[in-house]
Amino acid sequence: MKTIVLFSLLAATHLTFAADSLIVNAGSASRVIFYGKTPADLQKLERLDLNKLLRDLNQTKDSTLGHIQLSSAPYRATVKPLPKWQQYWQEYKKNTFFNLHLGMGSYTFFNQPIGRYEYFRLNDPSVFMDNPPSKRYTVFNSLWLRTRSVVGVSLVHDAYWWNGKRMGMKFRYGVGIEALGLRYQYSNVEKMEPEMFSDNRISSAKYDYYRNTLMLMPQQTDVRAFSYNFQLMPKVFLKNKKGKETFSLGVGVRYNVSRMKQPLDAGSMMSGWGGYSIDSDGVLGSRVTATSGPVIASRDMYYAVKEGGLKNFTYMAEVGYRSVSLFFNYTPSFTQITPSLTRFATSNAQYYNQQSGTLGFINFGVKIGR
C-alpha cells in the first residue's frame, strides 16, 4: 500500500477529509495535510525525514508541482557519522557521575577501640605511695583519633562487566577530595582491688605524681585534615522492570594522600611548646606563628604525629538505592606516632611506651549521587 503526502497552498474553502488525516495550519492561507487510508499508513510517516523533504521542495523550480507520490521507502537525509573519539566521549559521559559525601565517625567499633595507642602504663603504686598494700594495681593511658565530620566530593566512572535484564555488575573507579574534622580522644584508666578505693591518699598522691613529677599533659584536641584519593570499587546492582538501576552494593579500596593541620592548645605553653614572633609590620603589627607541638607531652617523653605526606589506604563499603547510598569507611593507619625522650628524662621514662604506633579511624554517612 502506498502513502500519499500532500503539500498544498489552499484558499480558505470548505474541505472534507477522511478520518485518518492530519491537517496542520501553516499560516492564514496555508495548510499541510497528512493523509492515510488506514492508521497504519500514518504510522509509516515516522520513517520520513520531513525537514529534508521540505528543503528539497523549496529548491524545486517547477512552480506547478502540487502533488508528490512516494513509495513506503524511507526518505532520509544523509547524516555524517560522528568521529570515533566523540562517540567514545559521549558514551563515557553517560556513565560518569558526581557524588557528594557527608558523614561523621567513631573511635570504637563494636565497643573495641580503633587504632588505640597506649602511651603510659604503671603497675607499681610504690612510685607515689609509702608502704603500698600488696594489691593488684594498674594505671594505663591511651590515645585515639576520632572523625567528627566528613565532607567530600568524588567524580567516578562505571565500567560494566555484566549488564543483565534484572541485575548486573560493574567496576567503579574515580578520584575525590575530602575534608575531615578530627579529634584526639584520651583515656586514663585505673584498675585496683576494691579494698584500695577507700584510701584517699592514693588519689591525692597520684594526682601530685602526674601533675608535678611526670608533668604529663594532653596537648591537642581538634585537628583538621585534607585528602586527595583514588578509589576502586566493584558493585552489584539490581534493575526494575523498566531497566533502571535500583539497589546496589559495593566493596572497595581507596588510596589517600593527606595532610593534617593541628592547632596548638593553650595548655601546651606549660610544656615549652608555643608561638614565637617571626617579624613585625608597622601597619599590621606583629605576626605570630606556632609550632604544631606534640599530642602528648611530659617531663620524660613527648609524642608527635606525622602531619604531612600522609599516604594510607581506606577500605570502603556502600549500600544504596538509586541516587542515595550509605557509606562506611575504615582507615586503619592514618598517621604515625613517634615517641621521643626529652632532655629532662628520669627513671620514670621506663613506664612510657617508647615504640612508634599508628592512629586510624572509622567514618560513615550518606552519599548523594549515582
Side-chain angles (χ1 to χ4, degrees), residues 83-101:
K84 288 291 185 182
W85 70 268
Q86 195 169 348
Q87 296 178 34
Y88 177 79
W89 174 242
Q90 289 184 354
E91 187 65 25
Y92 189 88
K93 287 192 300 182
K94 285 169 54 178
N95 296 319
T96 301
F97 310 103
F98 180 82
N99 295 325
L100 173 66
H101 309 256

Side-chain angles (χ1 to χ4, degrees), residues 117-118 303-304 335-340 353-359:
Y117 180 80
E118 185 179 294
Y303 298 86
T335 186
Q336 182 176 3
I337 301 177
T338 302
S340 300
N353 186 354
Q354 299 186 29
Q355 302 297 317
S356 297
T358 59
L359 291 179

Side-chain angles (χ1 to χ4, degrees), residues 1 52 79 145 170 228 255 260 266 269 344 359:
M1 182 179 294
K52 184 176 185 304
V79 180
L145 188 60
K170 57 188 177 183
Y228 301 92
Y255 178 71
M260 271 202 305
M269 298 291 287
F344 305 109
L359 291 179

